[in-house]
Amino acid sequence: MTEGRLIVAIDGPSGTGKSSVSKEVARRLEVGYLDTGAMYRAVAWWCQHQGIDLGDQAAVARAAETIPLVMGTHPDDPRVSVDGIAIDQQIRTSEISEVVSAVATNLAVRATMKKQQRQLINQIAEATGGVVAEGRDITTVVAPFADARILMTASEEVRMGRRSKELAIDSEATRAQIVERDAKDSTVAQFLTAADGVVTVDTSDLDFEQSVEAVLGAIEASTSAIAGR
């Protein structure tokens, strides 16, 4: 493990279960948790709150550098707040889901977020002995140094079904939020196929508990391989 700390990086497209599974894995490993996707959503919300046009890439990039963002890092309470305002519910709305790609595909924002995310990963790991960080480019860009790097995936049909049920919206709205957003975000981040050294966990035919066990197994295999070198 990295300096006695366990760093786990999990990425993948929407609807694979990576957020709920990552939180449960962090609980069982008794380490911290970081939802990097929520950071992009928070920037999108902050820009709207401040009246910043998401099409103005320079202004959005400046907002990402100065946003007073606080990320909760306990898997039981991963709250997100900006300028003292709890925005956990606000950043999960369809309105934010429909516009967050404008932030996530902004390369200047991604550069800023990468620095912040690496700092948080190190801080959380130092404080708790480890971290499970999940998002869309964690295994390849943000934390390629992680002890375990996992790509969670599932068929498009399964992913749409899960997200439609989760958000209580129809299939066409779900397609817009999942398939179209993944297509946009994949232009700047690799999260649809596993890079070298990244373990793929396909959850298409797995329930929640099986998905958690599969990820824990992948972590055990990865850390055992490191120890055996």
Side-chain angles (χ1 to χ4, degrees):
M1 294 189 294
T2 308
E3 299 179 356
R5 304 172 301 169
L6 175 64
I7 296 178
V8 178
I10 299 177
D11 63 19
S14 303
T16 60
K18 67 180 181 293
S19 292
S20 55
V21 169
S22 294
K23 281 184 279 191
E24 182 59 23
V25 167
R27 289 187 193 99
R28 297 193 189 185
L29 295 175
E30 298 182 341
V31 298
Y33 164 76
L34 179 63
D35 178 358
T36 63
M39 297 174 71
Y40 289 101
R41 288 174 173 271
V43 173
W45 179 88
W46 179 242
C47 286
Q48 291 191 331
H49 185 69
Q50 296 291 102
I52 297 171
D53 180 0
L54 292 179
D56 186 340
Q57 293 198 340
V60 174
R62 288 192 294 271
E65 291 178 346
T66 59
I67 181 174
L69 173 65
V70 177
M71 296 294 296
T73 58
H74 192 288
D76 290 333
D77 189 23
R79 67 182 61 190
V80 181
S81 63
V82 175
D83 200 24
I85 305 169
I87 59 170
D88 304 81
Q89 299 301 316
Q90 293 93 319
I91 63 173
R92 301 299 176 184
T93 63
S94 295
E95 179 185 7
I96 294 298
S97 294
E98 290 168 1
V99 301
V100 67
S101 283
V103 174
T105 56
N106 185 320
L107 296 181
V109 172
R110 296 196 76 82
T112 296
M113 290 290 101
K114 181 178 77 170
K115 293 178 183 178
Q116 294 182 7
Q117 289 159 6
R118 282 187 175 177
Q119 290 174 351
L120 283 169
I121 285 171
N122 287 322
Q123 290 170 4
I124 298 165
E126 184 68 27
T128 68
V131 60
V132 177
E134 57 104 346
R136 285 174 175 254
D137 59 359
I138 305 305
T139 66
T140 55
V141 176
V142 177
F145 51 81
D147 303 293
R149 297 186 296 150
I150 298 164
L151 172 74
M152 287 185 64
T153 187
S155 69
E156 181 179 307
E157 179 182 5
V158 167
R159 293 191 294 117
M160 287 182 60
R162 288 172 178 168
R163 187 51 61 90
S164 180
K165 183 182 297 184
E166 176 185 329
L167 298 177
I169 56 179
D170 62 36
S171 59
E172 286 307 311
T174 304
R175 178 175 293 278
Q177 287 200 17
I178 290 184
V179 179
E180 294 176 14
R181 182 185 162 209
D182 284 348
K184 290 177 183 177
D185 289 2
S186 66
T187 63
V188 294
Q190 180 180 335
F191 59 88
L192 298 177
T193 57
D196 290 345
V198 177
V199 179
T200 298
V201 173
D202 190 331
T203 66
S204 298
D205 299 318
L206 304 180
D207 61 20
F208 177 72
E209 180 60 29
Q210 290 170 331
S211 297
V212 171
E213 291 296 333
V215 169
L216 287 169
I219 295 170
E220 176 63 27
S222 296
T223 54
S224 295
I226 292 173
R229 290 175 185 172

